[in-house]
């Protein structure tokens, strides 16, 4: 299967003094969500589920899925009783896919990667960059995202609502938008190829691979947040997220992965050389009018075993994140190959 996506880099310049928290993902995501609804929503209702425009609305597609919540259905990918996630609801016809009956949500088709720096104050004229990853059909909605972040700059972000101006948007190769031209160039999405058939019988060697978590990873297993990243728990979360992104935002087809076999083989992989820690932070939810704890795991961990077959999944998660809250930039990691032969077709 192929998951289409495109990553964009936004460069902004402070107009006022901009004061941001240590972890900036919540500020950018929160400000974006509020402004996005103001920009896109035609009827300005508080709840999309009663809106007659929801089936054709960009905001509803990005943040909500309708119409019905299905009954509970078990899944081999999840610990017993697991559920929860981001905003949105499933239709009854989708409830059988990957045990979606235990979920109330569809993964959002975007990821905001906040600036990695810990700096908190930016003087007028200073530059700040962040990244946006759009997935599947959301790539076509780039103009809405660019306009929203431009409008957010006029409103201001962070403590004291410091204003900024959007200078340009790039995709790593070309400038897609600039403040001078005020026009958007069309882009062709990149693709992540994920094989749907795995041959574990041909993989007889043990290899090592490390993951370095750059932002907190909130991975649920059996209704609890995982504090010890056992490999099969990580893989369950990755396979679930990637499969749902493909199904709802790319292909409208169920991947033909052998889920039970994948999990069985993942349980044989061991963890070593852990240097993980728990990072606590909070965000204020305007929607729920409450402060929410959003802590997760950061640091590095090494896995050893017959893991060559899992590499494509791990590399896909490196781009699309893992666990809860990717739209806030959570679950961002990088893959560090310790001892690994090249994949077929690579030099």
């Amino acid at each position: 299967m192929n998951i289409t996506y495109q990553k964009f880099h936004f460069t902004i310049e402070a107009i006022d003094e901009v004061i941001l928290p240590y972890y900036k993902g919540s500020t950018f995501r929160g400000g974006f969500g509020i402004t996005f609804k103001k920009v896109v929503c035609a009827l300005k209702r508080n709840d999309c589920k009663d809106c007659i425009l929801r089936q054709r609305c960009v905001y509803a597609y990005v943040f909500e899925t309708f119409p019905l919540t299905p009954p509970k259905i078990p899944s081999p990918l999840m610990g017993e009783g697991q559920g929860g996630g981001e905003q949105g609801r499933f239709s009854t016809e989708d409830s059988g896919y990957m045990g979606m009956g235990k979920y109330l949500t569809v993964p959002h088709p975007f990821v905001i990667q906040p600036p990695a720096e810990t700096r908190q104050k930016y003087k007028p004229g200073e530059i700040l960059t962040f990244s946006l990853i759009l997935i599947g059909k959301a790539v076509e909605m780039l103009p809405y995202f660019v306009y929203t972040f431009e409008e957010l700059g006029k409103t201001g972000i962070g403590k004291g609502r410091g204003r900024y101006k959007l200078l340009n948007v790039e995709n790593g190769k070309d400038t897609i938008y600039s403040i001078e031209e005020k026009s958007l160039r069309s882009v062709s999405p990149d693709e992540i190829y994920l094989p749907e058939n795995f041959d574990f019988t041909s993989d007889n060697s043990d290899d090592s691979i490390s993951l370095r978590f750059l932002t907190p990873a909130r991975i649920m297993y059996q209704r609890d947040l995982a504090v010890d990243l056992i490999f099969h728990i990580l893989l369950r979360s990755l396979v679930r997220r990637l499969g749902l992104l493909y199904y709802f935002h790319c292909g409208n087809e169920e991947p033909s992965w052998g889920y039970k076999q994948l999990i069985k083989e993942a349980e044989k992989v061991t963890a070593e050389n852990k240097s993980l820690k728990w990072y606590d932070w909070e965000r204020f939810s305007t929607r729920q009018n409450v402060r929410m704890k959003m802590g997760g795991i950061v640091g590095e961990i090494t896995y050893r075993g017959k893991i060559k077959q899992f590499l494509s999944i791990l590399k896909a998660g490196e781009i699309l994140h893992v666990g809860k809250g990717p739209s806030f930039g959570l679950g961002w990691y990088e893959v560090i190959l310790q001892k690994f032969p090249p994949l077929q077709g690579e030099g």
Side-chain angles (χ1 to χ4, degrees):
M1 71 179 187
N2 292 308
I3 297 178
T4 55
Y5 79 99
Q6 186 60 265
K7 184 173 183 177
F8 302 96
H9 307 285
F10 286 61
T11 301
I12 63 177
E13 178 184 325
I15 297 175
D16 308 314
E17 182 179 53
V18 175
I19 303 175
L20 301 174
Y22 181 89
Y23 182 73
K24 302 169 181 60
S26 176
T27 301
F28 281 94
R29 164 61 176 78
F32 166 77
I34 294 171
T35 307
F36 191 59
K37 187 164 188 177
K38 289 179 180 178
V39 167
V40 173
C41 180
L43 302 183
K44 300 295 185 292
R45 298 190 179 188
N46 292 328
D47 197 334
C48 296
K49 70 180 181 180
D50 299 321
C51 181
I52 62 172
L53 303 179
R54 64 179 184 267
Q55 299 292 353
R56 300 294 180 184
C57 176
V58 174
Y59 178 85
Y61 171 71
V62 171
F63 284 99
E64 310 280 351
T65 303
F66 295 94
L68 301 174
T69 301
K72 290 186 176 181
I73 299 173
S75 167
L77 283 177
M78 297 180 284
E80 190 64 30
Q82 185 178 343
E86 296 176 347
Q87 301 300 324
R89 299 190 179 188
F90 298 108
S91 63
T92 303
E93 57 268 27
D94 295 324
S95 64
Y97 173 61
M98 293 178 69
M100 289 313 303
K102 289 198 174 186
Y103 287 77
L104 296 177
T105 64
V106 172
H108 296 330
F110 72 94
V111 173
I112 295 176
Q113 287 184 342
E117 61 196 42
T118 58
R119 182 181 176 186
Q120 294 182 265
K121 291 186 179 182
Y122 298 84
K123 297 178 180 178
E126 292 188 323
I127 302 298
L128 183 64
T129 61
F130 64 93
S131 297
L132 170 73
I133 300 168
L134 299 182
I135 302 158
K137 294 184 277 292
V139 176
E140 302 172 5
M141 300 173 184
L142 174 63
Y144 292 97
F145 285 82
V146 172
Y147 182 69
T148 297
F149 278 114
E150 201 166 45
E151 289 299 299
L152 177 59
K154 298 175 184 178
T155 303
I157 59 172
K159 186 177 180 180
R161 298 280 186 178
R163 295 172 301 154
Y164 67 81
K165 56 184 175 183
L166 177 61
L167 297 183
N168 61 64
V169 180
E170 301 176 341
N171 67 347
K173 296 175 289 187
D174 303 305
T175 298
I176 307 301
Y177 171 85
S178 69
I179 192 172
E180 293 85 8
E181 296 183 3
K182 288 288 185 180
S183 62
L184 274 168
R185 295 180 58 183
S186 60
V187 295
S188 298
D190 292 326
E191 289 188 344
I192 300 171
Y193 170 70
L194 288 166
E196 297 183 56
N197 297 306
F198 299 86
D199 183 10
F200 291 97
T201 61
S202 64
D203 189 5
N204 296 316
S205 61
D206 280 359
D207 297 296
S208 295
I209 190 169
S210 295
L211 303 183
R212 180 179 295 128
F213 287 89
L214 306 174
T215 59
R218 293 171 56 81
I219 296 175
M220 299 293 295
Y221 182 64
Q222 296 183 339
R223 289 183 176 270
D224 291 322
L225 285 169
V227 295
D228 187 11
L229 276 187
I230 300 170
F231 186 72
H232 78 86
I233 294 177
L234 172 69
L235 192 78
R236 288 172 191 263
S237 184
L238 277 170
V239 169
R240 185 166 56 247
R241 172 165 170 76
L242 296 174
L244 294 174
L245 287 173
Y246 174 72
Y247 181 76
F248 285 103
H249 302 301
C250 297
N252 292 321
E253 295 178 348
E254 180 178 353
S256 59
W257 284 334
Y259 303 115
K260 290 185 179 180
Q261 180 68 13
L262 276 173
I263 302 306
K264 180 180 177 181
E265 296 297 329
E267 289 173 343
K268 300 176 184 178
V269 176
T270 59
E272 56 185 31
N273 299 331
K274 302 176 188 177
S275 56
L276 301 173
K277 63 180 181 180
W278 189 264
Y279 175 75
D280 264 322
W281 66 284
E282 293 183 345
R283 63 173 288 261
F284 180 78
S285 172
T286 303
R287 182 170 182 155
Q288 301 181 47
N289 195 33
V290 66
R291 297 200 67 83
M292 303 174 65
K293 289 187 176 294
M294 299 284 285
I297 295 171
V298 295
E300 191 170 320
I301 186 171
T302 299
Y303 295 108
R304 178 179 294 276
K306 297 177 176 60
I307 53 179
K308 182 179 180 181
Q309 297 291 327
F310 300 114
L311 185 56
S312 61
I313 297 173
L314 294 170
K315 294 292 286 183
E318 184 179 35
I319 298 171
L320 302 178
H321 296 213
V322 67
K324 294 168 66 67
S327 64
F328 291 89
L330 300 181
W332 181 16
Y333 66 84
E334 59 181 0
V335 175
I336 306 168
L337 301 180
Q338 302 290 341
K339 176 192 172 187
F340 230 95
L343 293 175
Q344 185 177 2
E346 293 184 343

